[in-house]
Amino acid sequence: MSEVAEKFARLTPVPAYQMVAEAIEREILSGRLRPGDPIGTEAQLVRQFGVNRSTVREGIRLLEQSGMVQRDSSRRLAVGLPHYDQLATRASRALILHQVTFRELWEATMALSLATIDFAVERATEEEIAVLEANIDATEAAIDDPAAVAAYDSEFHVMLEKTARNRVLELAREPSNMLIYPTTHVAVQGTEQGARRLVEAHRMLVQSLKLRDKELGQLWTRRHLNDWRKGFERGGNDLDQPVDLVTAPSATA
Amino acid sequence: MSEVAEKFARLTPVPAYQMVAEAIEREILSGRLRPGDPIGTEAQLVRQFGVNRSTVREGIRLLEQSGMVQRDSSRRLAVGLPHYDQLATRASRALILHQVTFRELWEATMALSLATIDFAVERATEEEIAVLEANIDATEAAIDDPAAVAAYDSEFHVMLEKTARNRVLELAREPSNMLIYPTTHVAVQGTEQGARRLVEAHRMLVQSLKLRDKELGQLWTRRHLNDWRKGFERGGNDLDQPVDLVTAPSATA
DNA sequence: GGCGCTATGATTGTCGGACAATCCGACCCG
DNA sequence: CGGGTCGGATTGTCCGACAATCATAGCGCC
């Protein structure tokens, strides 16, 4: 909006491989190619676009990583539904490169979790509640193993997001999750009885779903995240340090 | 967690071009290569990895789109800081492919906006408030041009996010923004005096920053988004229709 | 000495062709 | 019908080549 009117647009000769990628992308986004549909073979694309196979291959690679095309069984390429994990992985790496702090992560997670619990309280079904409770039981059974507790905790929150039935929120949360949850085992160890508090919080969250009590859900979401924060700090970490691969090792996977 | 123990892990021979990409990515994420650093020339990479140039090029393409490597001036490749726009573009396209509904978008935006306004109220500086007010004045001056109003509105909210000083939240919001704001001009036209209500909401939001009044900020954030919703529906749209390129045309850019 | 122009080498983008490994499908056999 | 074999198709990788473009070092001119 506030840019000066420029005489000439920037000349950017677009490489052929980019044009190939964009052409395929257009087909996908327009709906003419639907997820699951096979993209032609490389030879076909060569004929259609009139470029060399190397060029076609480079174009395909551009789309491959974002999940817009996937390698089918064997190695054939097909249109893919980008899964959130892939996008979230990219996003979380970007956050690392931008050196965001754990504080930012924590603040955002708090906001998103509060929204999530609200919708989950509205929409949770009996089955979902049962599955969540099963997860809590499993967590309790493994309560002396911080790594297992962290894994169950991560699973619990993923399931909770699903019950909120909002995929936009789900996608928005995932990058933070990928960076925060790897630190849970640290946080759980940091607090005396940390794992037990975690289990208690989960139980109360599920309770809020049962009672359809948003206040309760929000209360325990806050407590749960505050616990994480205290544990994180007690573990010798500073909330204002940038997220990195050392403290968030699983982001490399 | 709940998967059956399987005898053998899946055999996935990793293509060389992927290994090239992963190797470069590791260097970047580990910090040995920093944003701005030039990646070697293709010939160098050929020597280092011991593969053909075509292979190296395919590997580079994998990283190019996510913004992890960028074309410097000229065409030289350098390590890039992935900008949120790029990630958000990917993400918003994924949302389209997943056929998320405007309702999901609206719900998520509401939650994120409420969090944003809270932090903005805490952290806004005099300068930022002045810039926001300038934007509102400009909006008011163009109040009869729905497209311009929509553009200023988008700019306003981007600036508001900056004042919240939470990059995680910023990144989380962006995909929704990219899909929602293109519909603003529709929503503004739908409501009688829609543009004026929009300006009023913006003014009150800035007012809340000045007074450091979170309640006021939340109130007007809700009103502002409810206005969008009403306008959207009055424009003949259904909140439960999936987001697509027709209603969100700028996502193609 | 500073500035603009040019020549030279380096680098990228694109092309053509080639080959091994693998996959798919058809076919055959017990 | 299950299992093995064979041939074509497809991908992954390599090699070599060339035009266009960029970077840089000189070189001449003021």
Side-chain angles (χ1 to χ4, degrees):
Chain A
M1 271 294 89
S2 21
E3 76 240 4
V4 181
E6 296 188 359
K7 276 239 185 70
F8 297 106
R10 176 178 211 84
L11 292 185
T12 55
V14 178
Y17 65 86
Q18 265 192 31
M19 298 177 59
V20 169
E22 283 163 15
I24 297 176
E25 195 173 22
R26 263 198 305 278
E27 290 299 301
I28 297 177
L29 286 173
S30 74
R32 282 188 289 277
L33 278 177
R34 302 237 305 255
D37 288 356
I39 294 182
T41 82
E42 293 177 4
Q44 284 175 357
L45 295 176
V46 165
R47 280 195 296 277
Q48 293 180 29
F49 290 117
V51 297
N52 191 272
R53 191 160 80 100
S54 310
T55 307
V56 167
R57 285 175 64 81
E58 287 191 38
I60 290 176
R61 295 307 161 240
L62 275 184
L63 300 176
E64 185 173 322
Q65 200 183 39
S66 40
M68 200 147 308
V69 306
Q70 293 175 338
R71 268 200 284 290
D72 207 320
S73 79
S74 82
R75 305 176 298 257
R76 252 170 209 144
L77 287 173
V79 178
L81 253 192
H83 202 321
Y84 295 151
D85 300 358
Q86 296 172 310
L87 294 155
T89 303
R90 300 283 126 222
S92 63
R93 291 181 186 187
L95 291 178
I96 291 175
L97 287 178
H98 279 277
Q99 301 194 304
V100 303
T101 64
F102 276 103
R103 183 181 301 280
E104 289 173 277
L105 223 44
W106 183 80
E107 288 175 353
T109 300
M110 178 68 88
L112 290 162
S113 296
L114 290 173
T116 299
I117 194 68
D118 262 20
F119 292 125
V121 165
E122 280 180 22
R123 297 165 188 175
T125 65
E126 299 293 334
E127 294 76 23
E128 286 166 337
I129 290 176
V131 175
L132 286 168
E133 287 183 325
N135 168 283
I136 299 176
D137 291 340
T139 313
E140 204 152 30
I143 202 153
D144 291 325
D145 178 356
V149 168
Y152 280 120
D153 178 61
S154 173
E155 195 186 47
F156 179 86
H157 288 285
V158 169
M159 295 190 312
L160 199 57
E161 283 166 33
K162 300 269 184 222
T163 71
R165 273 189 204 65
N166 185 310
R167 289 164 292 173
V168 180
L169 218 47
E170 202 180 328
L171 176 61
R173 283 187 54 109
E174 207 128 356
S176 317
N177 288 355
M178 293 187 66
L179 296 175
I180 279 230
Y181 285 125
T183 67
T184 299
H185 74 279
V186 177
V188 168
Q189 284 174 317
T191 314
E192 185 69 16
Q193 295 290 7
R196 294 199 187 282
R197 285 188 65 96
L198 182 145
V199 167
E200 186 193 6
H202 285 194
R203 286 218 184 280
M204 293 308 291
L205 288 174
V206 170
Q207 187 67 14
S208 77
L209 301 192
K210 282 184 180 171
L211 302 176
R212 309 249 175 238
D213 184 339
K214 288 188 182 180
E215 295 294 330
L216 188 65
Q218 299 233 349
L219 174 67
W220 280 94
T221 296
R222 286 208 176 80
R223 285 193 181 163
H224 192 30
L225 271 165
N226 278 325
D227 280 347
W228 174 86
R229 175 178 169 166
K230 283 178 206 157
F232 181 76
E233 287 174 333
R234 232 168 279 182
N237 295 292
D238 181 2
L239 211 56
D240 283 313
Q241 72 187 345
V243 178
D244 61 351
L245 290 176
V246 183
T247 36
S250 82
T252 51
Chain B
M1 275 289 94
S2 22
E3 76 240 4
V4 181
E6 295 189 359
K7 277 239 183 70
F8 296 106
R10 178 177 208 82
L11 293 183
T12 56
V14 179
Y17 66 87
Q18 265 193 30
M19 297 177 60
V20 169
E22 284 163 13
I24 297 175
E25 195 172 22
R26 263 198 305 278
E27 289 300 301
I28 297 176
L29 286 174
S30 74
R32 283 187 288 277
L33 278 177
R34 302 237 303 252
D37 288 356
I39 293 184
T41 83
E42 292 176 5
Q44 283 174 359
L45 295 176
V46 164
R47 281 194 296 277
Q48 293 179 31
F49 290 117
V51 297
N52 193 271
R53 191 160 80 100
S54 310
T55 307
V56 167
R57 284 174 65 81
E58 288 191 37
I60 290 176
R61 294 309 161 240
L62 275 185
L63 300 176
E64 184 174 323
Q65 200 184 38
S66 42
M68 200 147 310
V69 306
Q70 293 175 337
R71 266 202 282 291
D72 208 319
S73 79
S74 82
R75 304 176 301 254
R76 250 167 209 152
L77 288 173
V79 179
L81 254 191
H83 202 327
Y84 297 151
D85 300 359
Q86 297 172 313
L87 294 156
T89 303
R90 300 284 130 221
S92 64
R93 290 180 187 188
L95 292 177
I96 291 175
L97 287 179
H98 279 276
Q99 301 194 303
V100 304
T101 65
F102 277 102
R103 183 180 302 280
E104 289 173 277
L105 224 44
W106 183 80
E107 289 175 351
T109 300
M110 179 67 88
L112 290 162
S113 296
L114 290 174
T116 299
I117 193 68
D118 262 21
F119 291 126
V121 165
E122 281 180 21
R123 297 165 189 175
T125 65
E126 299 293 333
E127 293 77 22
E128 286 166 338
I129 290 175
V131 175
L132 286 167
E133 286 183 326
N135 169 282
I136 299 177
D137 291 340
T139 313
E140 204 152 30
I143 202 151
D144 291 326
D145 179 355
V149 169
Y152 281 120
D153 177 60
S154 172
E155 194 186 48
F156 178 86
H157 287 285
V158 169
M159 295 189 311
L160 199 57
E161 283 166 33
K162 300 269 185 220
T163 71
R165 273 186 203 65
N166 185 310
R167 289 164 292 173
V168 180
L169 217 47
E170 202 179 330
L171 176 61
R173 282 188 55 108
E174 207 128 357
S176 317
N177 288 356
M178 293 187 67
L179 296 175
I180 279 228
Y181 286 125
T183 68
T184 299
H185 73 280
V186 177
V188 168
Q189 284 174 318
T191 314
E192 185 70 15
Q193 294 290 9
R196 295 200 187 282
R197 285 188 62 96
L198 182 144
V199 167
E200 187 194 5
H202 285 194
R203 287 219 184 280
M204 293 307 291
L205 287 174
V206 171
Q207 187 67 15
S208 76
L209 302 192
K210 283 185 181 171
L211 303 176
R212 308 252 177 239
D213 184 340
K214 287 188 182 180
E215 295 294 329
L216 188 66
Q218 300 232 348
L219 173 66
W220 280 94
T221 296
R222 285 209 177 80
R223 285 193 182 164
H224 192 29
L225 270 164
N226 278 325
D227 280 348
W228 174 87
R229 175 177 170 168
K230 282 179 206 156
F232 181 76
E233 287 174 333
R234 231 168 279 182
N237 295 292
D238 181 2
L239 210 57
D240 284 313
Q241 71 187 344
V243 178
D244 62 350
L245 289 176
V246 183
T247 36
S250 83
T252 51

